[in-house]
Amino acid sequence: MTKCTIIGLGEAGAAYAEALAAAGHQVTGFDPVAPSTPPGITRAATAAEACRDAEIVLVLTGAAAARSVAEDCLPVLPAGSTYADLTSSSPTVMEELGQLPSQALFADVAILGPVAALGVKTPLMVSGPGSAAVAQLLTPLGPDIEIADGGPGAAMSHKLLRSVLMKGLASVVVEAVTAGRAAGLEDWIREQIARQLAGDGQAVIDRFLTGTAKHAVRRSREMQDTASYLAELGAPAEMTEASAAALARIAAIPAPEAALR
């Protein structure tokens, strides 16, 4: 049994709190606004109170609260304990929080997927001195956990790079399907998307890296025409317009350099 504290009892925090309690751990929680307390959780009046005598603290608040929570909790944690920040704070903020005075070991934890869909089995990446303790506690709950090289901020650096792909790809897919629906071609564009997402991923990446630089001028003009077409359909075109602008920028870079960027 580990004495665990969960700061933030929203959707994600409540999921981790319930799972840890069900696994036999002693769980204390704190949240100033959550209307209910998950079953089996002792709710503290303050964040600092929740952290006293804790062996490991998991912070699942919004990123805006990360610094104030750390400043409240880190000073009261005992030697050898672990403080794990699972917020979406920037790598720089994670690095700064990891340098705050404390006897606890700090861990930067990046959640690599939607907790709403995958729950506590959502893959995680961890970095910092407290990584091993986080992995030991959470691995039995079922997630894949990767420990990244480097100190606090390294895990979040990986996550934000992944977000360039995942959030951007999601936005492009939504825009394409919305436009396809407006044109009466939703099934066709869905098939096109599914076909592009299948197959040899590394080959697709190489094709994008070389082909984008080589054909940037033509493709920029094509995307400008595409944006105009989407406007005629009354469909959003933010991603299409951004692609046109990005391709125009790439076209201004000498081809060998563009291929490396």
Side-chain angles (χ1 to χ4, degrees):
M1 181 186 73
T2 300
K3 292 181 179 179
C4 308
T5 291
I6 305 293
I7 305 296
L9 295 173
E11 183 177 38
Y16 281 98
E18 288 188 39
L20 288 168
H25 300 292
Q26 180 181 323
V27 183
T28 300
F30 170 73
D31 192 308
V33 296
S36 60
T37 304
I41 311 305
T42 300
R43 189 156 176 169
T46 67
E49 178 187 321
C51 291
R52 288 192 179 92
D53 299 323
E55 295 176 73
I56 186 165
V57 176
L58 305 181
V59 180
L60 289 126
T61 66
R67 189 178 299 277
S68 62
V69 170
E71 290 172 346
D72 286 343
C73 297
L74 284 170
V76 304
L77 287 171
S81 61
T82 296
Y83 182 91
D85 189 316
L86 286 83
T87 70
S88 294
S89 299
S90 71
T92 299
V93 169
M94 288 293 193
E95 184 176 356
E96 291 172 352
L97 297 183
Q99 294 174 352
L100 292 175
S102 177
Q103 298 184 86
L105 301 175
F106 188 90
D108 160 24
V109 185
I111 302 175
L112 303 179
V115 175
L118 302 175
V120 296
K121 294 185 178 181
T122 306
L124 303 172
M125 177 172 283
V126 193
S127 65
S131 295
V134 173
Q136 183 177 6
L137 177 71
L138 297 182
T139 295
L141 302 184
D144 290 329
I145 300 179
E146 180 180 354
I147 297 179
D149 292 335
M156 189 53 61
S157 295
H158 285 75
K159 176 175 180 175
L160 295 186
L161 288 173
R162 181 178 182 273
S163 292
V164 175
L165 169 66
M166 299 305 294
K167 304 306 187 293
L169 177 61
S171 298
V172 168
V173 168
V174 169
E175 186 163 298
V177 172
T178 300
R181 186 178 301 132
L185 296 169
E186 180 176 349
D187 289 344
W188 182 84
I189 194 63
R190 281 176 172 267
E191 182 181 346
Q192 292 296 307
I193 295 167
R195 188 176 299 171
Q196 290 300 317
L197 294 177
D200 186 343
Q202 291 294 341
V204 172
I205 293 170
D206 290 339
R207 176 163 56 85
F208 285 168
L209 289 173
T210 57
T212 298
K214 182 178 181 180
H215 303 291
V217 173
R218 175 180 59 79
R219 290 179 180 179
S220 177
R221 292 171 181 160
E222 181 179 330
M223 293 306 286
Q224 292 170 24
D225 292 341
T226 302
S228 298
Y229 175 55
L230 295 192
E232 294 173 8
L233 292 173
E238 293 94 343
M239 300 304 295
T240 301
E241 291 168 352
S243 294
L247 287 163
R249 173 186 59 78
I250 292 170
I253 301 172
E257 295 183 24
L260 295 174
R261 296 191 179 191

